[in-house]
Amino acid sequence: VIEFAKQSEPYIELLEKFARSCMEHDDKYLAASGEEGINSIMLCAGAYYSACKNMPVELPLDRYKYKELMDGLILKEQEIKNI
């Protein structure tokens, strides 16, 4: 068993740096540029879509197909909560 010390959540610092970047109009505080962020989101969405559909996908992912998948999953989740 390997134990690791509890690390603090990085989100507070990321949000503070994002806010500072917005207020000062300076990208040096950002962990990634906007384009890198969009590419990361596209990669995650593609992996999720591929796993849910059990098929390979090409990037950029078709946003309408992805939205359709997400809407279907949300509907299923709402149905489960209503049971």
Side-chain angles (χ1 to χ4, degrees), residues 46-47 49-51 53-59 61 65:
Y49 189 90
S50 175
K53 295 290 190 174
N54 196 30
M55 60 181 267
V57 296
E58 290 186 24
L59 298 179
L61 190 62
K65 289 181 180 178

Side-chain angles (χ1 to χ4, degrees), residues 1 3 5 8 13 16 19 21 25-26 29 36 39-42 48-49 56 61 63-67 70 77 80 83:
V1 175
E3 294 186 23
S8 62
E13 183 180 355
E16 286 172 348
S21 177
H25 304 286
D26 191 343
Y29 300 105
E36 287 180 48
N39 289 340
S40 294
I41 291 170
M42 181 65 68
Y48 195 75
Y49 189 90
L61 190 62
R63 65 182 175 171
Y64 299 109
K65 289 181 180 178
Y66 185 74
K67 182 177 182 337
M70 292 294 106
E77 182 70 19
I80 290 170
I83 292 178

Side-chain angles (χ1 to χ4, degrees), residues 8-32:
S8 62
E9 294 292 334
Y11 304 111
I12 293 171
E13 183 180 355
L14 285 171
L15 288 171
E16 286 172 348
K17 287 182 176 182
F18 176 75
R20 189 169 184 179
S21 177
C22 291
M23 291 186 316
E24 296 182 17
H25 304 286
D26 191 343
D27 291 347
K28 73 180 178 188
Y29 300 105
L30 299 178

